[in-house]
Amino acid sequence: MALTKQIMGTSLMDKSQFVSSSSKSFLSQNQFLVRPSLVPSQRRREHLRKANRGIVAAISEDLVKIVPVFSAEKPVKFKVRAVVTVRNKIKEDFKETISKHVDALTDKIGRNVALELISTEIDPRTKAPKKSSEGVLKDWSKKSSLKAERVNYTAEFMVDSNFGIPGAITVTNKHQKEFFLETITLEGFACGPLHFPVNSWMQSKKDHPEKRIVFCNKPYLPNQTPEGLRELRQKELKNLRGDGSGVRKLSDRIYDYALYNDLGNPDKGTDLARPTVGGQKFPYPRRCRTGRLPTDTDMSAESRVEKPLPMYVPRDERFEESKMDTFSFGRLKGVLHNLIPSLMSSFKGDKDFRVFGDIDSLYSEGILLKLGLQDELLKKLPLPNMVSKFQDYNQGILKYDTPKILSKDKLAWLRDDEFARQAVAGVNPSSIERLKVFPPVSKLDPEIYGPLESALKEEHITPNIHGMTVQQALDENKLYIVDYHDVYLPFLDRINALDGRKAYATRTLYFLTPTGALKPIAIELSLPNSGPTSRSKRVLTPATDATSNWMWQLAKAHVCANDAGVHQLVHHWLRTHATLEPFILAAHRQLSAMHPIYKLLDPHMRYTLEINALARQILINADGVIESCFTPGRYAMEISSSAYKNWRFDRESLPADLVQRGMAVPDPTQPHGVRLVLEDYPYGSDGLLIWGAIENWVRTYVHHYYPDSSLIRNDRELQNWYSESINVGHADLRHENWWPSLSSADDLVSILSTLIWLASAQHAALNFGQYPYGGYVPNRPPLMRRLVPEENDPEYASFISDPQKYFLSSLPSVLQAIKYMAVVDILSTHSPDEEYLGERQQPSTWSGDAEIVEAFYKFSAEIMEIEKEIERRNSDPNLKHRCGAGVLPYELLAPSSEPGITCRGVPNSVSI
């Protein structure tokens, strides 16, 4: 506990001087104010040293007892002080500025911010919790003009010496304007400072008349709640649940469920109507309810809110200012909202890239200049100063950063070894499986989809497996597959009927070479059976001449387009965004902020509801980015729904996922219970390190609060959270028998570790490489517009005469490409306020439990060591998938990062 003693700082004897009726007994404000901070990896050790400076960072249970200084017979009144940290908005609009000035004036006449302390004890006379006198924040009007990001206010209270320990504070905001309350620290009690980490918006009383309740950082299981806090605990949860009715206001803090019935906009035309996702026909997780009115033309569809208007999420889930700046004022806004409509009107139709240099020019000269569109567009701008601004804008926002895939070897994307490497160390390492049966077998119904036998034969692969037979290669774990046959085949007729879409259902086989690196050895391209003589399947193998080389490149591009769709709609959106939302909603509705499991999960829920709402607004909606830029088009969410039918929470932990895909086998001698079959699998090997650290931290945490499994079974809040997550949030799968039970500590460790893994490392591995790998569209086209030509096809002659032109015309058009690039640019960007794994807001005061604070710092230190191990692995020449000439290191699971596009960093939560 040495580290805890360092963090705890001053001794109890030092603190006892504060029990005094004189205000002179207070120490300086700075000594007690624990300033909010994060602990980036490079500063974590420095932070631990600074924690020695007299700041009380955690209150253990045995310290929270008032020293019996006063006589029990005659209670004495004494004064205590609250130091309240308020975070200012840096940028204010005119209305907010006016409201701020009005509040500064009216604060002087009693329309102020009032606080009241609530004791953990019951008053024997009133049978209600003991309450202090009301205290108001001092000097609000004087400090209202300060430009600092954080401003500290004080409030004073008179309490009796038998008041007990405050466990809650009520806040009444009598101002016109909301404000963000970060922390409250109480000084003057014999136990030393008491910390209330709030991090919440305090709404005006005129909008929300009830007093806000904030709790001390001391965690309590429901049956351990002090008597004085029991009613408040239930009241706060009831407020957060709401009553399931009404249209939500942006200032509300109500968490509830709804179907995905707001993706379409039938009032604007039948082509923008979309089916409701969620329910028997298209099963899906639930999303946050907004209560908006139905559309005029379809009563089952919820009316839409289009950008720039905000969509409801509970007020505390909204992006903070720096995060919103990163999201709103980047290339996404510039390209989607300003450039593309202008471009569409500046010339007739869309354009193809003419040569590869056109794509390169996006990084060197900007979108318009090299494509010959700048002069044409500038003529449409009416005023000379607008022309000047637009030219600056083009050079800044419209010139893309060079994607990382081009940083070491501009031609790497063409090579087969790089194509294979990205299957295990790229932005989607979650699809590859060990091939167990050859030829691969479909699970689709042949009565619906016709003969489903694979066209892959032994003669296709034996020339490329180093003299082995296929059975030998299977037995020695040398064959791997990325199989999208069953994902796409049911949708191909509809996809290929869309304008500008041509797709196959692909299977790609890889062989593990003696050097330890994978190489692709065959690609199967499947189309639906459209007649007895149609060639619905074909197999391509690595090139032997110029023509077959271009055919092979086209086949690989189709594989990448298949992969981009599954990556985005299944592994990324469905498995880390959509399936987590019900667990987050249920946590806010059923777990008190005092509950230790809520405190554990809190940083891993940050911003997820907001980014999911933004996705419904601009990404997965009708004619949104996903439909516009990815292979499935308007059938995107139907494909995602189809994948959800096969989703299983019990297979979402990393070890279970690896075993399910045959990439690992159970091995009790290994630290994580599994052994990788493919040793050089960067995602798997780095991921297991992080999984192990998360699981160890969660196990320590769970066993601390639940030494006996009966406590878990009898914890009504915990059981209600898990039950509601399944039965309401995942209602379409609630009857499945694979849902894990929650009756023991091991059950809870597994469930929580899985949720934290998905929110942090799994999402990071799938998200922050999108621009580094996809920002160069030929490397990872999100869609294809032409099939691979066959000799009898009319376009075969044009392919032979100019294969480069054919290849480029198969890729997304210029407008599709820049729209896609703009989106993955934003999605791959870390904001300045990012919190990474091993970090927390108020890192030493988020919990009032000293042992847990100690354990968290150990977890943080373990994450730092993992980062060093990842760096070591990236320098190991034996690991061909992450080290070598022109090979990108695998850093997507390296925990820390600077802001921006870095292709590394593991944030705590699904926050972008």
Side-chain angles (χ1 to χ4, degrees), residues 98-110:
I98 294 297
S99 296
K100 185 175 181 179
H101 287 307
V102 170
D103 287 340
L105 292 171
T106 57
D107 189 82
K108 296 178 179 180
I109 58 171

Side-chain angles (χ1 to χ4, degrees), residues 444 455 482-498 500-508 523-530 534-540 550-566 630-633 639 781-793 795-796 799 806-807 810-811:
L444 296 175
V482 172
D483 189 345
Y484 294 134
H485 179 276
D486 290 5
V487 176
Y488 281 99
L489 195 71
F491 297 90
L492 279 184
D493 278 334
R494 287 178 284 169
I495 290 172
N496 287 335
L498 296 171
R501 294 286 201 288
K502 288 293 180 282
Y504 298 98
T506 66
R507 288 186 176 115
T508 308
I523 295 173
E524 181 186 62
L525 305 175
S526 297
L527 293 170
N529 286 292
S530 53
S534 68
R535 294 183 59 190
S536 61
K537 289 180 169 60
R538 59 193 293 206
V539 175
L540 285 85
W550 279 105
M551 292 278 200
W552 180 243
Q553 293 298 339
L554 281 165
K556 288 195 297 182
H558 273 280
V559 170
C560 289
N562 266 199
D563 188 73
V566 171
F630 287 81
T631 295
I639 286 181
L783 61 83
M784 295 290 282
R785 295 185 293 152
R786 304 178 83 167
L787 296 174
V788 181
E790 300 188 60
E791 287 190 33
N792 296 330
D793 294 340
E795 48 194 14
Y796 188 78
F799 162 72
Y806 189 94
F807 183 89
S810 300
L811 298 179

Side-chain angles (χ1 to χ4, degrees), residues 836-852:
Y836 297 95
L837 200 60
E839 298 176 357
R840 288 196 70 131
Q841 291 185 352
Q842 295 93 39
S844 54
T845 60
W846 63 273
S847 173
D849 195 317
E851 282 187 48
I852 289 303

Side-chain angles (χ1 to χ4, degrees), residues 366-653:
I367 291 171
L368 303 181
L369 188 62
K370 196 70 177 179
L371 301 182
L373 301 174
Q374 182 156 312
D375 292 340
E376 191 173 351
L377 187 56
L378 294 183
K379 290 174 186 174
K380 297 180 178 294
L381 299 178
L383 299 173
N385 65 330
M386 288 183 68
V387 172
S388 173
K389 285 180 181 178
F390 194 88
Q391 287 170 327
D392 294 339
Y393 187 61
N394 181 35
Q395 289 306 309
I397 292 185
L398 304 184
K399 191 168 74 172
Y400 288 89
D401 294 328
T402 301
K404 197 169 185 180
I405 184 63
L406 302 179
S407 64
K408 285 197 167 189
D409 182 350
K410 287 186 68 173
L411 299 179
W413 68 276
L414 284 165
R415 297 199 317 266
D416 283 0
D417 64 290
E418 177 62 22
F419 174 77
R421 190 192 73 83
Q422 290 184 33
V424 291
V427 70
N428 180 22
S430 296
S431 286
I432 192 167
E433 303 175 65
R434 178 168 55 86
L435 187 64
K436 300 169 186 173
V437 177
F438 186 86
V441 178
S442 170
K443 295 179 182 177
L444 296 175
D445 185 348
E447 292 191 8
I448 299 174
Y449 300 104
L452 296 168
E453 290 76 14
S454 172
L456 287 160
K457 308 295 181 189
E458 290 201 16
E459 55 264 30
H460 291 129
I461 63 175
T462 47
N464 289 295
I465 57 175
H466 293 253
M468 302 176 77
T469 66
V470 172
Q471 192 56 50
Q472 281 178 311
L474 288 172
D475 293 343
E476 295 183 25
N477 299 328
K478 300 290 187 183
L479 291 176
Y480 296 83
I481 187 170
V482 172
D483 189 345
Y484 294 134
H485 179 276
D486 290 5
V487 176
Y488 281 99
L489 195 71
F491 297 90
L492 279 184
D493 278 334
R494 287 178 284 169
I495 290 172
N496 287 335
L498 296 171
D499 187 35
R501 294 286 201 288
K502 288 293 180 282
Y504 298 98
T506 66
R507 288 186 176 115
T508 308
L509 291 187
Y510 300 91
F511 177 71
L512 183 62
T513 66
T515 66
L518 291 173
K519 71 172 183 180
I521 55 174
I523 295 173
E524 181 186 62
L525 305 175
S526 297
L527 293 170
N529 286 292
S530 53
T533 60
S534 68
R535 294 183 59 190
S536 61
K537 289 180 169 60
R538 59 193 293 206
V539 175
L540 285 85
T541 55
T544 55
D545 55 37
T547 301
S548 61
N549 178 66
W550 279 105
M551 292 278 200
W552 180 243
Q553 293 298 339
L554 281 165
K556 288 195 297 182
H558 273 280
V559 170
C560 289
N562 266 199
D563 188 73
V566 171
H567 162 260
Q568 200 67 268
L569 291 165
V570 180
H571 299 314
H572 180 203
W573 166 255
L574 172 65
R575 292 176 62 189
T576 68
H577 283 259
T579 56
L580 285 182
E581 186 157 345
F583 290 97
I584 293 170
L585 291 169
H588 287 285
R589 289 167 52 85
Q590 300 296 344
L591 295 176
S592 166
M594 286 190 284
H595 199 293
I597 300 306
Y598 180 90
K599 289 181 179 293
L600 175 70
L601 290 176
D602 186 36
H604 306 291
M605 304 189 290
R606 186 183 189 221
Y607 290 156
T608 304
L609 297 185
E610 169 81 336
I611 193 61
N612 286 4
L614 286 165
R616 301 203 314 275
Q617 212 170 18
I618 62 175
L619 294 178
I620 62 172
N621 59 302
D623 204 30
V625 171
I626 301 296
E627 289 195 4
S628 302
C629 298
F630 287 81
T631 295
R634 64 180 295 146
Y635 307 108
M637 287 302 287
E638 291 184 37
I639 286 181
S640 194
S641 168
S642 179
Y644 179 63
K645 294 174 186 176
N646 300 312
W647 175 85
R648 290 180 53 159
F649 181 75
D650 63 326
R651 292 179 177 172
E652 289 298 284
S653 74

